[in-house]
Amino acid sequence: MSASPSAPGPRLGLRERKKIKTRLAIQEHALRLIREQGYENTTVEQIAEAAEISPSTFFRYFPAKDAVVLTDDYDPLLVDAFRAQPPGVSVVHALRLAYREVFQDLTPAEAQTFFQRAELILQVPELRASFLDSLAEGVAVITEVITERSGRAGDDPEVRAVAGAVMGVAITEFLHWARHPDTDFAAAIDRAMEIIEPAFPW
């Protein structure tokens, strides 16, 4: 999904902006086709034709069909926002602030894309399985930035506990929002992070 225009980060060059624009266009066409004819009945060739690209170009942006639903730009934004937090802030509070920065100013179009992706992940068994497979990568990313900030080892039990708790919060609120689209996702995840924050004051 597209990144929030208000999210922090360096100004991208023209080449990188064009790549992002193409990737988002491919994803937009894919989601439209999947809504119209179902995930199983939508092929990479159909998505490529709708986006006016070749199938080989599709695979330069997405390694497989399921990735067009699962892929977004939020992990690097969250990492950047986390690293930008003041050094005196606790690890969980810094993560909480990072999630707030990235998700609180989604445009209606971004929120709609986010919801469509979440809905598909719930509905399509293949996507649910791929989503579960991707969770290990998410835990690894969170673990890496926690160790970087705290100076603790990645196999420290408290580091693992924080990474698991934060990932659990993110998944739980993501799936809840997919079933209850009227929920304020940013506010819900912030509240959940607030609940776990006192358990990890370092």
Side-chain angles (χ1 to χ4, degrees):
M1 69 189 78
S2 61
S4 171
S6 62
R11 183 176 178 83
L12 298 174
L14 177 61
R15 181 182 178 87
E16 189 62 26
R17 291 200 304 273
K18 288 179 68 174
K19 287 174 63 177
I20 291 173
K21 184 177 180 180
T22 300
R23 180 159 47 80
L24 294 177
I26 296 169
Q27 189 173 56
E28 180 181 347
H29 286 293
L31 292 175
R32 176 181 58 78
L33 287 171
I34 291 168
R35 287 197 308 273
E36 292 174 354
Q37 56 194 36
Y39 179 79
E40 294 295 335
N41 295 326
T42 300
T43 66
V44 168
E45 288 74 20
Q46 290 171 337
I47 295 169
E49 181 179 359
E52 298 183 341
I53 59 170
S54 66
S56 61
T57 298
F58 174 94
F59 288 115
R60 286 206 295 269
Y61 288 90
F62 301 98
K65 187 176 78 170
D66 61 357
V68 82
V69 178
L70 297 172
T71 301
D72 61 49
D73 295 322
Y74 286 103
D75 278 356
L77 287 175
L78 287 166
V79 169
D80 288 346
F82 176 77
R83 287 174 172 158
Q85 300 308 317
V89 175
S90 73
V91 165
V92 176
H93 192 67
L95 284 165
R96 182 183 170 194
L97 293 174
Y99 272 91
R100 184 187 299 170
E101 282 184 19
V102 171
F103 289 109
Q104 69 180 355
D105 293 322
L106 294 182
T107 67
E110 290 164 347
Q112 179 65 18
T113 297
F114 195 11
F115 172 70
Q116 289 171 358
R117 292 174 57 239
E119 196 174 36
L120 284 170
I121 289 169
L122 281 181
Q123 293 174 351
V124 180
E126 180 181 339
L127 293 176
R128 286 203 304 273
S130 298
F131 179 68
L132 290 174
D133 287 342
S134 72
L135 297 184
E137 296 177 16
V139 171
V141 169
I142 293 174
T143 300
E144 180 181 351
V145 295
I146 290 173
T147 58
E148 177 184 291
R149 185 179 185 88
S150 68
R152 300 188 181 207
D155 61 355
D156 183 311
E158 290 197 359
V159 170
R160 297 201 309 270
V162 172
V166 171
M167 180 57 72
V169 162
I171 295 167
T172 300
E173 296 307 329
F174 179 74
L175 296 178
H176 177 80
W177 188 61
R179 296 184 178 93
H180 306 279
D182 293 335
T183 302
D184 184 330
F185 176 76
I189 201 168
D190 186 66
R191 173 57 181 151
M193 295 279 278
E194 181 182 26
I195 292 169
I196 67 172
E197 187 176 338
F200 306 99
W202 45 276

